[in-house]
Amino acid sequence: MSKLIFHSEKCSGCGLCSLACSEKRIGAYSNKQGFIHVYSQPDKLAYNLEACFLCEEHKCVEICSTDALIIERDRVKFIESNCVHCGLCVSECPYNIMVFKGDEPEMCDLCGGNPECVKVCPWNALEIV
Amino acid sequence: MFGYQKRILSIDLTERKADYVEYGEDIMRKYLGGTGLAAYIFADMVDPKLDPFDENNIIIVATGPLCGTPVPAASKMVIAGKSPATHGFFYSVSGGRFGVELKQAGFDAIILRGKSDQPVWIDIDNSDVKFIPAYDLWGLNTFDTQRELIRGKRKAETMVIGPAGENKVKFAGIMTGSRCAARGGLGAVIGSKNLKGIRVYGTNKVKVPDTAQLSKWVSHVNKCIKDNIVLGTSMPTYGTPGTLMNLNKLGILGTRNWQSEWFELGEQLSGQKLREEYNLHHTACFACPISCSHVNQVRGGSLNGIKSEGPDYETLYALGSMCGISDLSTIIAADKLCDEYGLDTISTGVTIAFAMECAEKGYMETGYADSGLRFGNNEALLKLIPLIALKEGIGAELSMGTRELAKHIGHNSETFAANVRGLEIAGHSPRGCYMMGLGYSTSPRGGSHLDSRPTIEYKGLTAIDDITDKAELVAETQIMTAVGDSMILCRFTEHLFGHTLKWNLQNGGEDMYATSINLVTGWDIDIEELEMIGRRIWCLERMYNLASGFKNEKDTLPSRFLDERISTGPSTGRGITKEILDQMLANYYKYVGWDNNGVPTVDTLKKLDLDRF
């Protein structure tokens, strides 16, 4: 599996990545219903981008007591048969990136290796390695 | 109805209540959103004679149908109200992300009514609206206020006023992120309602009929942007400051309160110098691939470390050449102060420049002349901005803006007070570009450069000395901007979508305006319908403002521009006389269907379906 890398110095904050992601996921536009969020940081005169970069805490994986989430090849993988639908993984995600699909968690799978967010970025601020 | 959320949030600050109103598809198709929708609501709800600070006055925050979609340069928002500067219907457009967040909260717009009896801020979390005391925020600058508002909800977006809005300075703006809905003093109207700001958080979606079709269109437009020399190269590299040296070389850069139109120190303010010595990083509005905005930082000297998003061209003109200031570090610091205190940089700079000329002519009272008011005084500029926002000392007089200040000073100083209808004019010469001369005169906002445009003349697409086509060009440009500010499109799209609605079609290109609207809404608007929408909105603004008091004032320019020719630089001798302006006005009134006094005829109103107003 590939890894998503963010070059913050190149990012303009336009959020086209978030729209491309939501378009693919829900067939409409939202910068909260995709797996990549961009928002203002007014006092820093900048924008922040959050996505699943596989944070060091792995909180979603750590909190899951039934091993429904595991780390596999640098991504969080969902094992549906183990899920008891407690929702703790979604609520524990420090970046609010993991979402519910029905009563199960849904997470970024990098569009199978060719992510829409990377494709639409006008400034090559997102990269897949 | 695609592209819209079909709900408007109606907030009563007096009663601290929020409810929702719906406007049907018929209204949206006639007025689109943004400015058009705001003008319709104003005409429907607000007595034109109402004082801007009357609690029955309203503020509208409006998005457009394209907001929140990936259509490029189309996710801005409009803040509209009665302006304390012009006393007419006014709107200011801002970039940033508040509009997108509002739409994702499920609303196309907010109507703010009434007045809170104590400082308050409003928290909108999707459909949940709360009123929260703002005693602890009152007096804070715009950035500190926004930091406090997003504490605990970091992905929310905010719009706030600073001390200038609290103190009802006539050119106080509204900051949203590091962008500003700056013009017309609408920040003062919000301050008069004891409203410090709004935080909005939304998790809803914006739906269009066919995302695949829209994506295909957006990819095409984005490629056109990339291939366009202005949008794809100049703007991302230099932003609007790249314009400054071009205008200075043409000799049409407002300098020292328009006493001159050539700044001998202009090289010091060039876009190239700003880029090479101050640039930190670029920023963009939502869903915009152009990225015209740049954060700049002072490196070295007494102002070391100060950074600001900007200055853009208009700020370089107003706080720079107009004040005779050539130090970019000072202008970056002044730009930052204006943002912190919540002031419009154009009106701030033009008002200070006017006071500098008055001081140098000896028109200011004793004491004021000692305040350092003279062209080229960097320290005075930085001292005056907080004084204006806080209405302290000489700042109290300057906070009135040039029109009122000229009355206060006397000595016929209104002849060189650079405002139209009370709004300080932007950095585009009415003497150098006749389209701007006629444009400022007929704009519902007065001295705004965003209604009529100078671009056709800058690009050499019309003969600058031939007045025969100017009335039609100005009218068609204004009709385009009325549609553009209702969609809501960034004005830079004119380089691609066309300088008028029909521009592309007349030049063998494609209709990008109607196509963008139709792919988002599912409508089948054609160019004739779009033209009618633009004329309707433009005419409605005119009607409302005539009733607000504009009918007592002629459409004209400050005497300096009509009586004095450009005296130095490459355009020496050029001018726009009263005769030229009157001839253009007569042609213009005829073209837009207004009578000899500039009043829309009954026939025109009927054609535009405005006769009920």
Side-chain angles (χ1 to χ4, degrees), chain A residues 13-14 23 31-32 40 95, chain B residues 97 101 104 155 157 215 287:
Chain A
C14 72
E23 181 185 332
N31 61 3
K32 304 286 189 337
S40 304
Y95 302 102
Chain B
R97 310 173 71 88
E101 202 67 23
Q104 291 183 167
K155 293 183 186 177
E157 301 292 337
S215 281

Side-chain angles (χ1 to χ4, degrees), chain B residues 187-344:
Chain B
V189 179
I190 291 181
S192 76
K193 295 181 175 303
N194 273 328
L195 176 63
K196 182 65 174 170
I198 304 176
R199 178 176 83 180
V200 63
Y201 180 78
T203 57
N204 294 295
K205 57 195 173 189
V206 178
K207 288 185 270 187
V208 303
D210 185 336
T211 53
Q213 242 193 327
L214 185 64
S215 281
K216 201 173 159 193
W217 172 247
V218 168
S219 297
H220 168 63
V221 178
N222 284 346
K223 184 178 181 311
C224 294
I225 285 174
K226 207 171 175 183
D227 293 342
N228 183 288
I229 186 75
V230 177
L231 303 179
T233 303
S234 306
M235 284 294 179
T237 309
Y238 301 111
T240 55
T243 308
L244 188 133
M245 278 310 293
N246 294 336
L247 299 190
N248 205 31
K249 281 176 187 162
L250 291 168
I252 51 174
L253 173 65
T255 299
R256 295 187 180 87
N257 197 37
W258 294 98
Q259 293 180 92
S260 166
E261 298 203 18
W262 176 68
F263 190 32
E264 71 284 3
L265 302 170
E267 291 277 359
Q268 298 300 312
L269 301 180
S270 74
Q272 194 170 352
K273 186 176 170 71
L274 189 63
R275 168 91 192 172
E276 287 170 358
E277 298 179 22
Y278 296 89
N279 188 265
L280 264 188
H281 61 84
H282 64 163
T283 69
C285 290
F286 189 80
C288 183
I290 301 171
S291 192
C292 69
S293 193
H294 297 264
V295 174
N296 293 293
Q297 184 168 35
V298 179
R299 293 163 183 138
S302 60
L303 303 170
N304 184 40
I306 293 177
K307 63 177 179 178
S308 181
E309 181 168 345
D312 61 8
Y313 163 70
E314 302 299 338
T315 301
L316 287 172
Y317 141 80
L319 300 174
S321 60
M322 278 289 276
C323 294
I325 285 173
S326 59
D327 178 42
L328 278 174
S329 299
T330 298
I331 295 170
I332 289 169
D335 183 38
K336 184 63 181 288
L337 281 172
C338 286
D339 286 352
E340 286 176 335
Y341 282 94
L343 285 167
D344 169 22

